[in-house]
Amino acid sequence: QQKTPDLKLDVSEFWPDLKESDKQISLQTISRISPSILSEIYLWLSIREEPSAVLGANIYDISENSLDCRAYLEETARRHTPIVLQSSLNAIGQKELDGHAEKWGYLKPENGVETFVETAMKAARDVILEDSNLPLLFAIGLDHIDYRNDKPSGRARRFVEKAVKTEQITHFVLDGSALFKADVRSKNALDQTFSDVLKYAVDLLPNNISPIMDFEFCFGELNYVENDSQAMLPQASEMLQVAKICQDMLNEAGFGAINARPKLYIGNLGTTHHGGDGNEPQTYLARGWVDATRRHKFISAVLHGTTSSDSKVLSKASDGCHKVNVAGDLMQTLIENLPKISQMKILENHPGAEAKKGLHLVRSEIEKLDNDKRDQIRGALGKHCGQLMDAINSPKLTQGDVTYFQYLLYKFSDLHIDCILNAFSKSHIGPTTLRSSELTAPNVKHAFSASLIEVPFGPEFEEITKVLWDEGINNFHVDVGDGKLIPRQLNALDKIAHLRSSFPDSQIHTHLMVQSPHHADYEGTLSCIEAYANAGVDAIAVHEGAFENNKEFVDAIELIRKCGKKPGLMIETNRTMTTDLFNTIKDLKIDWVVIMGVTIGFGGQIFDSGTFSRIATLHNYARAENLELLIEVDGGLTTETIPQCLVNGAQLLAGWSIIRGKDMDELREKVQYVNSIIEQVTGH
């Protein structure tokens, strides 16, 4: 998008349902039609003091022009709030035979989850085409993928596999709670039954599923201990117990990366549609659950079972439940606003709570509704959606928030790809050649810097660094954490000692994610800065936010210089490019900055696209002021983002995931490929 003209694409062949004025769509517009991942928003909400939640809205009109999908997206876009559009295995599961019985989701979509995805994406397309200025931040999610509907055996796993293949589903509710069976409420009994529940959930995950998704584990909605008449409302200690089991199971199954990501979970809170399961919903329990399990990255409970729940119940729940699911109430609004004849057809065949199972009977009738009736129904659904968002205080995002949080998958169908390629072939646009910007640190070559944060010190570390050195990597980026500024503790003194002794000509940059690193309490009488300076690093970068005040920050910069090392300034993803920042760089004579491509504290994050503008701003500032300024970028780098970082002015690129291999041969190949990209863009 930065280097290519914004082509107009003729999409009439692929989207014949569009009105004439929309059949020419810009490439930049079409690229926005993609779901977002909300994990970062859940994490953001979990550290805010004000209770707030994202709405999970179940979809019932699975059709070419979905009424509810469109209504909810329009309402959330207008409000600048995120939403999850979701449906369950029970609703949209693929058609299979279980003996002689047919198993098919009650909404009877033609191709199961694929049809659901197409429905949501077309609704997003139509919202964008109606007003391209509206911000869309949404996920396409799978509600309960549950044991009860896993018939024939393995159907639920096949459902997940089909969902993953679409590359558009970003939210998975993994539900083995029907396997809960405990004769007593003891630790041993709960250990056993929760292990059964979670083993089913983890076994649903195919090996190729990305850890960068929203995973919601259903520990239980209606869990009854044998002979008890009331459903068990878990205490914080019991939720911690089950969180530990989940963490261990994910590790054992090879999904340890998921443990590094924010996760959500479901437990029974006594919500109203369970009838006799409690006189009053006890949603306040969720806050205790989250406080107990946060260190295992379970950062939010999720409120399910909200049919007929009072708005006050929803509001209270948002303190610990940063996602609130609503299904039955929204379905009721949809049915109540259909023509009377359609309502009768549904209710005659499926009365009361079973009405959802009759919606497929009137799908063709819904598709034939005139525009006025469709607008009226969408208006009622949008109003209901807005009322729910008010009740749970859905976060209202600024444009900056939207830009920060939005993650576009850029996944199109083969037809759409053909459309885009066809437009390019007719445009007579020649190949675009990327060239790196003018150097602002003329004595430093463009290079990749290996950041081995995930490789513990030992024989493997020594072998990896030897391979890297042999492949021309002589820059190393070493992360240090104290467990305070970030949750992780990372001591890297042994790594630095090995690098300095084995590769005396290497350049070692250290990134201190440490609170008050100038205080003399790290290694006996030494400060963290002094300890790493003595270990042999060449440069030490610190965070402004790691100090009590500006004087302490200035003292730390001076201490780094006193130790004979180059001081550096870390620039985080939420740092605005202000005159104060420029003055800090100039007044303290800082000639090295590290721009974070991801939020500090945990791995597996998506590169923040705002990083490009921060690089360019600092590069332009250095040129305008005739300053020598080495610009390094750290975190989230990919083969797509590296060229853009170089084009905007970066010279050093620190990362690990991009070169990590299953063995040393693959490591060599990836390093060679990254080096070739840098050479292609920079010419050296």
Side-chain angles (χ1 to χ4, degrees), residues 1-9 26-31 420-421 423-434 644 647:
Q1 290 185 38
Q2 292 186 5
K3 296 295 179 180
T4 305
D6 188 19
L7 295 176
K8 288 287 187 177
L9 309 179
S26 76
L27 179 58
Q28 290 188 8
T29 295
I30 198 174
S31 71
I420 294 169
L421 293 178
F424 270 108
S425 68
K426 293 177 179 177
S427 66
H428 307 294
I429 294 176
T432 302
T433 301
L434 296 178
Q644 294 296 337
V647 165

Side-chain angles (χ1 to χ4, degrees), residues 94 96-97 113 150-164 204:
Q94 69 276 9
E96 293 186 8
L97 284 177
V113 68
D150 193 7
K151 298 173 183 178
S153 180
R155 177 167 171 260
R157 169 64 181 259
R158 292 187 287 275
F159 179 69
V160 175
E161 290 171 346
K162 288 176 181 291
V164 170
L204 288 174

Side-chain angles (χ1 to χ4, degrees), residues 227-527:
N227 299 323
D228 282 358
S229 60
Q230 298 293 314
M232 185 180 86
L233 301 180
Q235 298 302 308
S237 60
E238 292 167 331
M239 292 307 264
L240 175 59
Q241 180 181 350
V242 72
K244 291 177 179 177
I245 295 171
C246 187
Q247 185 175 43
D248 290 343
M249 284 202 166
L250 286 169
N251 280 331
E252 291 168 6
F255 295 111
I258 293 176
N259 280 326
R261 301 285 297 156
K263 296 180 292 297
L264 301 91
Y265 54 87
I266 309 163
N268 183 33
L269 290 165
T271 40
T272 53
H273 90 292
H274 297 322
D277 295 312
N279 295 323
E280 179 69 28
Q282 299 182 41
T283 55
Y284 64 87
L285 289 172
R287 167 50 54 192
W289 296 353
V290 172
D291 291 342
T293 60
R294 190 191 303 275
R295 66 177 180 271
H296 296 284
K297 291 293 174 69
F298 285 95
I299 50 86
S300 171
V302 181
L303 186 67
H304 281 236
T306 56
T307 302
S308 301
S309 287
D310 187 271
S311 61
K312 293 180 180 178
V313 172
L314 303 183
S315 180
K316 290 179 181 178
S318 62
D319 182 40
C321 298
H322 300 306
K323 178 168 178 267
V324 172
N325 281 12
V326 177
D329 283 356
L330 290 172
M331 177 200 69
Q332 191 64 32
T333 296
L334 172 61
I335 293 176
E336 286 175 353
N337 284 275
L338 292 175
K340 293 297 182 184
I341 190 168
S342 297
Q343 293 183 40
M344 291 173 60
K345 189 172 181 179
I346 292 170
L347 297 174
E348 283 175 1
N349 291 277
H350 298 280
E354 295 297 299
K356 61 186 180 182
K357 296 183 179 180
L359 278 163
H360 73 280
L361 299 172
V362 297
R363 182 178 297 135
S364 61
E365 297 169 19
I366 293 175
E367 291 176 354
K368 294 174 184 176
L369 293 174
D370 61 42
N371 289 336
D372 287 344
K373 185 60 176 175
R374 298 185 70 83
D375 289 345
Q376 179 259 314
I377 296 173
R378 286 211 310 268
L381 289 168
K383 180 181 179 180
H384 191 165
C385 176
Q387 290 169 343
L388 291 168
M389 289 183 161
D390 287 339
I392 63 177
N393 191 28
S394 283
K396 293 178 174 57
L397 306 178
T398 66
Q399 188 55 52
D401 293 332
V402 173
T403 301
Y404 174 79
F405 285 122
Q406 186 151 326
Y407 166 52
L408 301 180
L409 292 177
Y410 295 101
K411 169 65 179 178
F412 304 109
S413 70
D414 290 341
L415 286 178
H416 300 159
I417 292 170
D418 288 343
C419 171
I420 294 169
L421 293 178
N422 186 50
F424 270 108
S425 68
K426 293 177 179 177
S427 66
H428 307 294
I429 294 176
T432 302
T433 301
L434 296 178
R435 285 288 177 261
S436 57
S437 296
E438 178 182 334
L439 294 175
T440 50
N443 296 323
V444 179
K445 292 183 178 180
H446 296 98
F448 184 79
S449 179
S451 176
L452 307 182
I453 183 173
E454 302 299 340
V455 183
F457 183 70
E460 183 186 18
F461 180 88
E462 296 175 1
E463 184 179 8
I464 286 173
T465 52
K466 177 65 166 59
V467 169
L468 294 173
W469 185 262
D470 291 344
E471 292 300 328
I473 300 294
N474 54 22
N475 289 278
F476 294 93
H477 179 104
V478 182
D479 289 295
V480 179
D482 63 354
K484 299 175 183 176
L485 188 64
I486 63 169
R488 302 178 68 181
Q489 288 189 323
L490 304 165
N491 186 315
L493 290 171
D494 45 6
K495 292 183 179 181
I496 290 169
H498 173 75
L499 291 171
R500 182 51 67 215
S501 62
S502 300
F503 316 110
D505 295 330
S506 63
Q507 284 291 310
I508 306 174
H509 288 182
T510 301
H511 170 193
L512 299 185
M513 293 175 281
V514 175
Q515 197 74 40
S516 302
H518 62 307
H519 286 173
D521 59 0
Y522 188 77
E523 287 275 308
T525 59
L526 293 180
S527 67

